[in-house]
Amino acid sequence: MSSAQLGTFLTEIGAGSVSSTITLAPGKEPPLKSIHDRIELEILNVNDQTLSLLKDNWEQFTGQWETTDTLLEQLTHEGAVLEGLEEQTTGSAAVLPQLLTTLASHSALVKSHQTTVTTLEYLSTLSSYHAAITALSSSTTAGSLAHSVTLLIQLQSHPTPPAWIHDTPAWALLVKWSKEEESRLVTAITGALEVAYEFPVAREQLLLQLHVVPAPGADGIKTSELFALLSRISPPSFTTQITRIANALHKNLVTPFLTSPHAATSAFEYSPSPTSLTISLTNNAPQQAPPPLDSLQTLLGTLAPHLPPKPFNTSFIPPLQNSLINAFLLPLLPSTTAALPPYLSLLTSTVDFESKFLPSLGYLDFLGGRGEGLVVTEWARGVESHWAKKVGREVLEAVRKEVVGGDWSEVRVEKRVEIEVVVLPPPPEPKPKEEEKPKVVVQKPVEKPREPTPPPPPREPSPPPAPVPAKRGKAALATASPAASPFPSPSRPPVPVQRIASPSNSWISPAPSSSGASTPALEAEENGDVTVVADEPADAWGLSAEEPAADPFGAPAMETGEGEEEFDEEAGWGWEVEDGVFLSPASGDDDSGVMRLRGGVNEEDSPFARPPPAATRPYDAPPQYRMETCMISQRSMSIMRVADALLVEALAVASPSFPHKSFSSASIPLLKSFVSLFGLYRATAPVFHSRLLLSVPALGMQFANDCEWLGDEVEKVWEKRSGGAGGREGEMKPEVDKAVGMMRSLGEEWREKLIATQRTALMEALDEAKGFLYTEDDSKLAACERSLGMVTHTLEKLGQLWKPVMNSSLYYATLGGLINDVLERVLNEIEDQADISEVESIRLNKLCKVLHGLESLFVEGESSVGREVPIWFKFIFLSELLEASMADILFLFNNGHLVDFSTAEISKLIRALFSDSPARQQNLAHIALGHPDVSASAVSSDEEDEGWGV
């Protein structure tokens, strides 16, 4: 430490005076010394305060000290007294220790005595209980069942030991032993009962022991006593044995006997002996077997003395009553009214058996004698309902089996097809002319050739079309006016045609009458002349059947001989002239009819396809029919036979002449079953066979025939059998009509589903053609050819499959509808093309002609493609128009041959085929004015008659 540091330290502690080198500042005191001075001052203050406090409290302190001395003296005195008392109680001459020792000894002796008494009681109790159990065990082993039961009852009445004995392990062991002996005794008795009532396995037999020896050397005991012993010691085991015997008796004897047909051919055989009785069920010849209920009465009479009445009857009688109903009466319920009389006689005997015989032997005593519990009697009161339910169940089960596993083999049946005809009011009588002869319209001119007809008066000409320039190499015509057309003007204008739509499922051709006359043709008065509308596609296009049209490409008309006509399809447009049926209406006949026609006239665009005047609108005529054939399955005929038999039974019981009047109430349930069986068919057949019917078109269409045929047959059978039944039976007529309608609807729906499936397949095949676009490309052309090849193959295959199955008119209508859908799509896709080159038009023409071969699917004399395919002639024209010149198209348009096409369609086709030019625009403007009314140039009626050979 330096001198400076030492000086600083000494200065702080107030010892700076010890060093001469330290000089304190004037008036400044060292810090530590100041602190020391303050501490001394505090100590002086504390001492002064302590002295002041002692002075103030000294007297009080002195008083407390004196009190403490007094208490210490008292404590010392009490200690001395306590020592004196201790000397008196613990000394050698004290009395209290001796008394305590004596009391403890006496208590030990008392406890030992009590233990000895308790042990004696415990051993005595255990010994007596053990002896009783031992006696019971010995008696049971010896086979003395009656004595054992007595011992067991005594054992069960043994006094209950005290709780301290009851809770000991020894007592628990004895109780367990007693339970085992009780169970062994019960087992011995039940074993004896099983020996007494033995039912051999797989044998319809009862071995009844009248006396049973429980153990070797033991006395025999009666079977009836065994029941009494068992009921005394174990009621549950007694009930179990009674139930076992009752059930085994039902299973081995009663039920096999009652079950049909055993009840009519079986009998009970009895083999008695002094100690046993064997009862066996044997099959005898029908003529040897006693009546079933007599055999049952003998059995119950034999068993009555050997069974406890009330407990056994409680377990035996209810199952017996159920067996009488379910195993005897229900199976024997007849399915026909012819078998009802013998059955009702049997039912009466069964009711007497329950209500008279069973009470006579006490079998019904457990019911209390109130006349209740006669189950068979109650069931017999509703036998009509039970019979109707059984017949209905059997019918429904038969139908279900037919639906699931019936015969698909076909049967050809006749089907009545309605010919839809409309009748027009007769036209007004024409004003008579001088020397006017009756008009006769014949099918073909055969007597004289038709003379030339003067040309019609000229009409206001339309603006002449301008020449059309070539398009993509196609040669242009110098002019497209009708005057310059290569087509000669027809000598006979087209005949206006009144088109009447026909549904696809109606017949097309009328049935010939017995006199050989055909259906009268429709006559309509127009401009004072009689116009005949024939079912002839050529006339629908404005062509005369007797005068062939000139070749549109300039070929000369074909020569025809008298009485016949020829038409070369190769020389003309390729349409087929079909013979119409013409008849003059009978004089004064108001029922002149015309068949509904299906043709190619577009009623919206054609000026000729207009409705008749209000005074000549058609009204419904009486229906006409003809018979055709179709295929149905054997299953349908089987189902119809079942339904017919059920209807016969239902109406038979409802007849006032039926001998059992109460069965009239069964008529309505049977009629409901008659309706329900067709509901079952509708619900199960389409679902169970759906995959097969959809994958095999012939079977699917045959199923549709089945449904419609069943509907028709139900209607026929109901009308035939019911004969206009009234009353409650007549109330079922709406239900039957509903079932008929639903069956027909199912057939129609299923047919539509099949047609839709095939239509989808055809449309998918056409999808490959990709709208017939870009056929200049060879690969696209090949795809179109494949597509149309698949379509024609599918339609031809469907024709092969469906034609044998469907009736003729429906087949052609269905096939025609599919062909129409195909042609319509092809036509629309070609018309939708905005631009068609010359190569494409040639190739599209070739592709369209692939479908012309579908005409071969329609057999001449049965139907025609023009009749069944409304768009056929339009499609034929389209294929030819694809390669026609503008002049050709305008000629056909101006002469009314393109009425199937709307003006928009014709314009669109012209825009696609020909290049844009003023001439094309002028021709399109001419077409936009609408189809010309060619009827204005029609020839007079006299000339028409003369031209037709009148």
Side-chain angles (χ1 to χ4, degrees), residues 915-942:
S915 301
D916 189 16
S917 67
R920 191 187 76 168
Q921 294 299 327
Q922 184 177 356
N923 293 333
L924 291 175
H926 169 70
I927 292 172
L929 297 176
H931 289 277
D933 187 359
V934 297
S935 61
S937 60
V939 297
S940 64
S941 60
D942 292 338

Side-chain angles (χ1 to χ4, degrees), residues 17-200:
S17 59
V18 298
S19 175
S20 59
T21 62
I22 299 173
T23 302
L24 295 174
K28 185 176 180 179
E29 188 176 359
L32 292 179
K33 186 175 185 305
S34 175
I35 294 173
H36 178 267
D37 293 341
R38 286 198 300 270
I39 292 173
E40 286 183 350
L41 180 61
E42 289 294 332
I43 291 173
L44 292 176
N45 291 335
V46 171
N47 289 336
D48 292 341
Q49 291 176 3
T50 302
L51 290 176
S52 175
L53 182 63
L54 289 176
K55 289 178 181 180
D56 294 338
N57 297 288
W58 179 253
E59 293 180 359
Q60 183 180 359
F61 173 74
T62 304
Q64 291 178 354
W65 177 262
E66 291 176 354
T67 304
T68 302
D69 288 341
T70 304
L71 291 176
L72 181 58
E73 291 177 358
Q74 291 177 357
L75 181 60
T76 302
H77 176 70
E78 293 294 336
V81 174
L82 183 60
E83 289 178 357
L85 292 175
E86 184 179 359
E87 182 65 24
Q88 292 179 1
T89 57
T90 58
S92 58
V95 178
L96 184 58
Q98 295 180 359
L99 178 60
L100 293 176
T101 301
T102 302
L103 291 175
S105 175
H106 181 269
S107 176
L109 290 174
V110 171
K111 185 176 180 180
S112 175
H113 179 266
Q114 290 178 348
T115 301
T116 302
V117 172
T118 302
T119 302
L120 180 61
E121 181 183 1
Y122 174 67
L123 293 176
S124 176
T125 302
L126 294 180
S127 177
S128 63
Y129 202 67
H130 182 274
I133 297 174
T134 302
L136 172 62
S137 177
S138 300
S139 178
T140 302
T141 303
S144 300
L145 300 182
H147 181 60
S148 297
V149 169
T150 302
L151 292 177
L152 178 61
I153 294 174
Q154 292 176 357
L155 180 64
Q156 291 174 343
S157 61
H158 192 278
T160 302
W164 62 271
I165 296 178
H166 187 275
D167 295 337
T168 60
W171 180 259
L173 290 174
L174 288 178
V175 171
K176 180 180 178 182
W177 185 20
S178 68
K179 295 296 182 182
E180 291 174 352
E181 290 301 324
E182 179 182 359
S183 176
R184 193 161 73 92
L185 176 59
V186 171
T187 302
I189 297 176
T190 56
L193 285 174
E194 291 176 357
V195 172
Y197 292 88
E198 181 181 359
F199 297 89

Side-chain angles (χ1 to χ4, degrees), residues 210-521:
L210 304 181
H211 290 79
V212 178
V213 179
D219 296 333
I221 184 171
K222 292 183 178 180
T223 303
S224 57
E225 294 180 5
L226 292 173
F227 287 109
L229 295 176
L230 187 60
S231 64
R232 291 176 63 189
I233 62 173
S234 179
S237 299
F238 171 74
T239 303
T240 300
Q241 283 300 310
I242 289 295
T243 303
R244 179 191 70 83
I245 295 172
N247 292 341
L249 192 61
H250 273 289
K251 179 180 178 181
N252 290 54
L253 293 178
V254 176
T255 300
F257 172 73
L258 291 176
T259 302
S260 178
H262 297 298
T265 61
S266 301
F268 295 109
E269 185 179 80
Y270 301 90
S271 301
S273 70
T275 59
S276 65
L277 174 64
T278 301
I279 305 175
S280 304
L281 182 62
T282 61
N283 295 327
N284 298 330
Q287 60 271 17
Q288 298 176 352
L293 294 177
D294 291 351
S295 298
L296 194 59
Q297 290 178 7
T298 303
L299 173 67
L300 297 182
T302 302
L303 293 176
H306 305 287
L307 292 167
K310 186 172 183 179
F312 175 76
N313 296 341
T314 303
S315 301
F316 180 75
I317 292 302
L320 173 63
Q321 292 172 324
N322 291 333
S323 296
L324 286 172
I325 295 173
N326 298 322
F328 184 60
L329 294 176
L330 270 177
L332 293 178
L333 266 173
S335 299
T336 62
T337 54
L340 276 177
Y343 177 80
L344 294 178
S345 176
L346 177 65
L347 180 62
T348 302
S349 301
T350 308
V351 171
D352 291 341
F353 170 81
E354 181 193 47
S355 59
K356 296 180 181 179
F357 172 75
L358 293 180
S360 67
L361 294 182
Y363 276 102
L364 300 183
D365 290 348
F366 72 96
L367 298 175
R370 297 185 298 272
E372 299 176 356
L374 300 179
V375 179
V376 177
T377 304
E378 188 65 26
W379 184 88
R381 293 191 181 101
V383 66
E384 304 86 3
S385 174
H386 304 312
W387 177 73
K389 289 179 181 178
K390 182 195 175 183
V391 174
R393 283 195 301 268
E394 290 179 349
V395 166
L396 294 178
E397 181 62 23
V399 171
R400 190 192 67 82
K401 289 181 178 178
E402 282 293 336
V403 169
V404 173
D407 190 359
W408 277 107
S409 59
E410 66 277 359
V411 180
R412 185 162 291 279
V413 296
E414 287 190 337
K415 182 176 182 179
R416 191 175 71 160
V417 181
E418 180 178 351
I419 307 172
E420 295 193 10
V421 178
V422 294
V423 178
L424 298 178
E429 292 290 339
K431 295 181 180 181
K433 299 181 180 179
E434 294 182 3
E435 299 180 358
E436 183 179 8
K437 296 180 180 180
K439 299 179 181 180
V440 179
V441 182
V442 297
Q443 181 173 354
K444 293 182 179 180
V446 295
E447 294 186 0
K448 64 179 182 179
R450 179 178 177 180
E451 297 180 359
T453 303
R459 64 172 185 169
E460 292 294 329
S462 301
V468 181
K471 177 180 180 181
R472 296 183 302 277
K474 182 178 293 186
L477 296 177
T479 179
S481 64
S485 172
F487 291 90
S489 299
S491 60
R492 177 174 179 264
V495 180
V497 179
Q498 175 62 49
R499 293 292 179 185
I500 303 176
S502 171
S504 60
N505 60 350
S506 63
W507 289 107
I508 304 306
S509 301
S513 62
S514 59
S515 62
S518 302
T519 304

Side-chain angles (χ1 to χ4, degrees), residues 498-820:
Q498 175 62 49
R499 293 292 179 185
I500 303 176
S502 171
S504 60
N505 60 350
S506 63
W507 289 107
I508 304 306
S509 301
S513 62
S514 59
S515 62
S518 302
T519 304
L522 171 65
E523 291 187 359
E525 185 177 28
E526 186 172 331
N527 298 328
D529 297 329
V530 176
T531 301
V532 179
V533 180
D535 186 14
E536 182 177 4
D539 283 344
W541 294 97
L543 300 178
S544 170
E546 108 180 11
E547 181 179 1
D551 188 348
F553 296 103
M558 301 295 294
E559 297 292 336
T560 58
E562 183 175 353
E564 62 181 4
E565 62 179 355
E566 299 177 359
F567 185 79
D568 188 359
E569 296 182 10
E570 299 295 329
W573 281 94
W575 57 73
E576 180 182 356
V577 178
E578 297 179 1
D579 294 337
V581 179
F582 302 93
L583 272 183
S584 61
S587 176
D589 189 359
D590 291 341
D591 294 334
S592 301
V594 62
M595 294 177 51
R596 297 183 182 269
L597 304 180
R598 297 180 63 188
V601 177
N602 188 327
E603 293 184 6
E604 295 180 358
D605 299 311
S606 173
F608 312 128
R610 55 183 179 269
T616 60
R617 286 191 178 275
Y619 59 91
D620 290 340
Q624 299 181 17
Y625 302 93
R626 76 175 181 186
M627 303 305 295
E628 294 183 359
T629 60
C630 65
M631 290 291 190
I632 64 170
S633 65
Q634 289 282 1
R635 171 190 290 108
S636 299
M637 303 194 75
S638 300
I639 291 174
M640 200 59 229
R641 284 193 291 269
V642 172
D644 188 22
L646 176 62
L647 183 59
V648 169
E649 299 297 333
L651 296 177
V653 297
S655 174
S657 60
F658 191 69
H660 307 286
K661 304 299 182 183
S662 61
F663 273 78
S664 62
S665 61
S667 175
I668 295 301
L670 291 180
L671 291 177
K672 290 182 178 179
S673 298
F674 174 78
V675 174
S676 297
L677 70 90
F678 296 103
L680 176 65
Y681 179 84
R682 293 193 305 272
T684 55
V687 177
F688 189 81
H689 300 291
S690 60
R691 182 174 300 178
L692 177 65
L693 297 177
L694 289 174
S695 59
V696 183
L699 282 183
M701 199 59 71
Q702 181 177 292
F703 175 73
N705 290 346
D706 287 346
C707 296
E708 292 186 345
W709 182 82
L710 284 172
D712 294 341
E713 287 300 304
V714 170
E715 188 174 41
K716 290 181 192 175
V717 168
W718 175 264
E719 294 300 329
K720 176 182 177 182
R721 300 297 186 190
S722 65
R728 297 183 62 193
E729 291 72 28
E731 296 175 0
M732 290 298 297
K733 182 64 165 59
E735 296 295 327
V736 175
D737 292 342
K738 182 178 179 181
V740 170
M742 295 180 73
M743 287 302 301
R744 290 171 176 167
S745 297
L746 177 61
E748 294 174 1
E749 291 171 4
W750 196 261
R751 183 179 295 110
E752 290 300 326
K753 183 184 294 186
L754 293 172
I755 294 173
T757 301
Q758 299 304 325
R759 183 183 295 111
T760 301
L762 292 171
M763 295 300 112
E764 290 175 353
L766 288 176
D767 290 342
E768 187 178 352
K770 305 296 183 183
F772 297 93
L773 297 170
Y774 314 115
T775 51
E776 285 182 338
D777 187 344
D778 292 341
S779 62
K780 300 293 179 61
L781 176 64
C784 293
E785 290 174 343
R786 285 195 306 271
S787 174
L788 295 180
M790 286 189 293
V791 168
T792 55
H793 174 75
T794 301
L795 290 171
E796 290 170 356
K797 191 65 176 178
L798 287 177
Q800 295 173 5
L801 295 174
W802 283 351
K803 187 172 183 179
V805 177
M806 304 172 71
N807 58 293
S808 176
S809 61
L810 183 58
Y811 161 72
Y812 285 118
T814 302
L815 191 63
L818 290 175
I819 295 175
N820 195 78

